[in-house]
Every structure is written in C-alpha cells, then in structure tokens.
Amino acid sequence: MSENTQYIPTSTAFQPRYTGPSPENMTPEQTALRQSILESRPRTGLSGPFGPWLAVPSIARPSQELGRTVRYETSLSMRESELVILLTGAKFKSEAEFDIHVGEAMRAGVGLDVIKSIPRGALLSQEGRKDGKDNNAEFSLENVKKHMLPLLEKENAYEGKGDLLRDIPIVLFTAELLETNAVSDETYAKTKRLLGGDDSVLVEITAIVGYYAYVAYTLNVFRIASSSS
C-alpha cells in the first residue's frame, strides 16, 4: 500500500506524562468506574483521555456520560460527527485525537483524501523535519475552504447522495466556530436552514466541538499516544 492510500499515525511515539492511576492503586470507586468504562468501550478500552480522567472520578464519570451522548446519541450521522471531531483535533493540534478518529472516520465513509486535506499546521511530532508530505497549512476557515471543500464537493458529486450535502454546512460551521470561537449571524442562519431548520442540530455540533476540545486538551497535556491505554 502506497503512502497516498494509507494514513500513518503521528502520535504513536509519544511518551505519556501520565496515563492515570494503576489498577493496583485505585480506590474502589475508581475500580468500579474503570470496569464500567471497559464494558462500555470493549474495542478501545481506556485509550485516549480516560486514564487521566480516572484520577478524579467526579470528573471521569460525567465526562464518560457526555462522551457517549455526543458520540452516539445525536441526530448527526457517524460520518458527520467524525468530520467535526477531526476538525477539532486539527485545530487543537491533538495528534492522538486525530490519529484515533481517522479510522473511525474512514469506517463512516470519509475518504482518506478528505482526511489528509484537513489543515493541521506544524505538529509536535514533526518538529525539526519538513518532508512536504502532509498538509502543513495552519488551521483556519480559509484553509478548510481551500483544501478540504473541493474534495468534499467532489466526493458528494461522485456519490450522488443528497444526505452528503449536509457535510459542507457542518464543516463550515465547525471551522468558523473553531477559528473564531463563535459563528456569524449569516453562518448560523444558513447552517440551520440547510440542516432542516432546527436549532437543536447546531446545539449538537457545538456540543461535539466542545467535548472534543476538552478531550484534545487532555491528550495534549498528558502527551497521550493514540495507542496508549
């Protein structure tokens, strides 16, 4: 498989600063919560931010609940949610978040060329080297429009599916929110109209961005690798 047809994770070599309390040192509350997380995430276990969160059960428990809600209980399709998550990971330069969700996004039908077009800028793992193989444009709404939108439009045209037309307003809303910490009246109204006229969809997108920004901060602070558990 050539480099053009696969994604090479960038965070796997990170040396974690902290992955949470060891099982033998956990309190009964932490042990019970750990088991609950493992049962609800049989494929991924304690990967990502869950290890550090377990240090404070009163933070870990609602974080787990909110994560499940924004991941599986919104009106967005998995494809739409993964686009929002990847954009969030790119904005916050969370290499582990991005790495973890590339596979999820591809399983949800997002093309690898679309994923690779997301502007991520200079990454921690790439310090001191410039191989020119990645999209080194810094994250911005303008660069999302420049690099990502043409490929989404091409993918939409190729698939010929009306539901994929939602991708573009979702991506533009998300990118503007991530760049400016708000959205304009025009963007709000246009996105609402294109997504069916219900404000609740915008609540869902905003919640996904907020939750995965929190996840990104956790992964970045504790230098969690995508393969850490």
Side-chain angles (χ1 to χ4, degrees), residues 84-105:
V84 174
I85 295 166
L86 287 174
L87 287 165
T88 305
K91 166 62 179 176
F92 288 96
K93 296 185 183 292
S94 181
E95 298 183 52
E97 182 166 87
F98 201 92
D99 286 350
I100 290 166
H101 284 276
V102 165
E104 300 292 335

Side-chain angles (χ1 to χ4, degrees), residues 29-30 32-33 37 53-54 56-68:
E29 183 181 16
Q30 288 171 322
L33 183 53
I37 293 171
W53 287 347
L54 268 174
V56 187
S58 59
I59 289 176
R61 187 174 294 103
S63 297
Q64 179 194 15
E65 292 291 322
L66 179 58
R68 187 186 68 247

Side-chain angles (χ1 to χ4, degrees), residues 208-222:
I208 294 171
V209 171
Y211 176 77
Y212 281 96
Y214 166 43
V215 171
Y217 278 134
T218 304
L219 297 174
N220 288 354
V221 167
F222 300 105

Side-chain angles (χ1 to χ4, degrees), residues 19 21 65 78 85 141 158 189 212 224 226:
T19 58
E65 292 291 322
M78 289 303 294
I85 295 166
L141 176 58
Y158 178 76
Y212 281 96
I224 303 296
S226 58

Side-chain angles (χ1 to χ4, degrees), residues 3-41:
E3 289 185 357
N4 290 329
T5 57
Q6 66 177 332
Y7 173 80
I8 301 174
T10 65
S11 71
T12 52
F14 285 177
Q15 295 300 311
R17 291 168 170 162
Y18 178 62
T19 58
S22 60
E24 61 270 20
N25 291 324
M26 287 184 182
T27 66
E29 183 181 16
Q30 288 171 322
T31 299
L33 183 53
R34 178 180 184 273
Q35 186 60 35
S36 173
I37 293 171
L38 290 173
E39 290 173 357
S40 66
R41 294 164 54 87

Side-chain angles (χ1 to χ4, degrees), residues 43-202:
R43 186 167 58 81
T44 54
L46 289 176
S47 64
F50 289 95
W53 287 347
L54 268 174
V56 187
S58 59
I59 289 176
R61 187 174 294 103
S63 297
Q64 179 194 15
E65 292 291 322
L66 179 58
R68 187 186 68 247
T69 299
V70 300
R71 188 90 166 82
Y72 300 112
E73 299 177 17
T74 74
S75 66
L76 273 67
S77 69
M78 289 303 294
R79 173 190 172 90
E80 293 163 351
S81 293
E82 289 302 330
L83 287 169
V84 174
I85 295 166
L86 287 174
L87 287 165
T88 305
K91 166 62 179 176
F92 288 96
K93 296 185 183 292
S94 181
E95 298 183 52
E97 182 166 87
F98 201 92
D99 286 350
I100 290 166
H101 284 276
V102 165
E104 300 292 335
M106 292 180 69
R107 281 187 284 275
V110 182
L112 185 57
D113 56 345
V114 171
I115 293 170
K116 287 188 170 185
S117 74
I118 298 173
R120 302 173 67 190
L123 302 176
L124 177 65
S125 62
Q126 297 172 329
E127 285 183 354
R129 67 180 180 88
K130 295 181 179 180
D131 53 23
K133 295 176 181 176
D134 301 309
N135 184 357
N136 289 320
E138 289 296 332
F139 185 92
S140 69
L141 176 58
E142 179 181 356
N143 281 332
V144 166
K145 290 179 178 178
K146 179 180 178 181
H147 297 285
M148 191 178 178
L149 250 57
L151 293 174
L152 278 175
E153 290 168 348
K154 180 180 178 181
E155 197 169 74
N156 280 316
Y158 178 76
E159 293 289 341
K161 297 178 181 177
D163 58 340
L164 295 189
L165 296 177
R166 289 167 47 102
D167 287 355
I168 292 174
I170 289 172
V171 163
L172 291 177
F173 180 96
T174 301
E176 184 174 328
L177 174 57
L178 286 165
E179 181 179 12
T180 68
N181 300 315
V183 295
S184 67
D185 289 341
E186 179 183 2
T187 297
Y188 188 100
K190 183 177 181 180
T191 308
K192 177 181 173 180
R193 175 173 58 81
L194 292 173
L195 297 183
D198 194 336
D199 295 272
S200 66
V201 181
L202 305 187

